[in-house]
Amino acid sequence: MRSTDAADYQTVPRAVAVMPKTFAAASRTDRHFHPRAQLLYATAGLMMASADDGTWVVPEGHALLIPPRLPHAVAMHGAVAMCSAYLDPRAFAAVPERCRVIAVSPLLAAALAALAEEPVLYDEAGRGGHLAALVLDEVGHAPETPLALPLPRDPRLRRVCLGLIADPACAEDLDAWAERAGASRRTLTRGFRRETGLSFGDWRARARVIRALALTADGRPAGHVAAAVGYRSRHALRATVCRVLGADGPRPHNPG
């Protein structure tokens, strides 16, 4: 039996060590880190990862690349099947310094599934070694997605962001949030752009979309999901999802 303890994969003398695992709905991991970089791939369900500098949603068909030793926690929405690939930092030309959600190509998905069937100590000169090299190559070329919610360091901006995460349906405008934070509208506007790369409006829209994806994975009806994140109809929510994630991005698809 292949171990499902992440600690067993951190010192494996191979560039890539793969661990499939399943979690029941509403499971979560405590805050932790790994000596290796981690590719956290959702083969079913949806995961929400959080760290000091942001939140990332990982729906089916996507993966989160986590830098070595970055403290993070993961919450499961719906029953989750995942495949963690623990990557030796020495295998990277440039070790990842920040988390990013990537779209998993069919080739990367197939390589991970095949490598999971090889021995943990696979033959580096054989099939296992070729699959590991393919995984690393595909990860390096995978496109980043907007399924990330960066958190600013400025405590005033951070209070605003945490408030929006806690209550994504809140309809207060930028002026009201600036007053809450004890900052001017101009400071808030410039701060959001500088620290997150997004405008206040775009950050809030992304926060709402990310929450909507999580609620949908939890099995909530579409109308409830839309109302819970501040939209009068699921059609309005769908329009925002298309704007934030693009035509090919994941969708809240519960028809209820």
Side-chain angles (χ1 to χ4, degrees), residues 41-227:
Y41 168 39
T43 57
L46 180 143
M47 296 178 279
M48 188 85 76
S50 58
D52 286 343
D53 59 344
T55 296
W56 301 266
V57 64
V58 190
E60 182 176 333
H62 294 72
L64 178 65
L65 183 60
I66 306 171
R69 299 192 173 278
L70 179 75
H72 62 281
V74 182
M76 316 302 162
H77 294 270
V80 167
M82 48 79 77
C83 178
S84 270
Y86 297 101
L87 313 175
D88 188 334
R90 293 171 296 184
F92 289 92
V95 178
E97 296 182 351
R98 62 179 181 85
C99 289
R100 64 178 187 269
V101 180
I102 62 172
V104 173
S105 68
L107 182 56
L108 177 54
L112 287 167
L115 191 54
E117 295 176 354
E118 292 287 312
V120 175
L121 294 176
Y122 51 78
D123 179 3
E124 293 180 284
R127 182 173 184 260
H130 297 318
L131 288 168
L134 181 57
V135 166
L136 290 167
D137 191 52
E138 282 294 292
V139 169
H141 288 88
E144 185 173 359
T145 73
L147 293 167
L149 202 57
L151 287 174
R153 294 181 182 275
D154 184 301
R156 297 167 299 177
L157 300 178
R158 200 174 182 91
R159 279 198 299 274
V160 173
C161 290
L162 294 177
L164 289 168
I165 290 171
D167 184 11
C170 179
E172 290 187 350
D173 62 13
L174 180 58
D175 290 320
W177 280 106
E179 185 176 348
R180 257 202 224 192
S184 68
R185 178 190 178 95
R186 184 178 183 183
T187 296
L188 208 61
T189 300
R190 289 186 171 183
F192 261 92
R193 285 284 188 192
R194 182 179 64 252
E195 295 206 33
T196 71
L198 300 168
S199 69
F200 170 83
D202 287 344
W203 196 98
R204 176 160 63 180
R206 192 179 288 193
R208 287 174 165 176
V209 166
I210 284 175
R211 176 64 70 84
L213 290 170
L215 290 172
T216 300
D218 288 335
R220 303 290 181 84
H224 171 90
V225 171

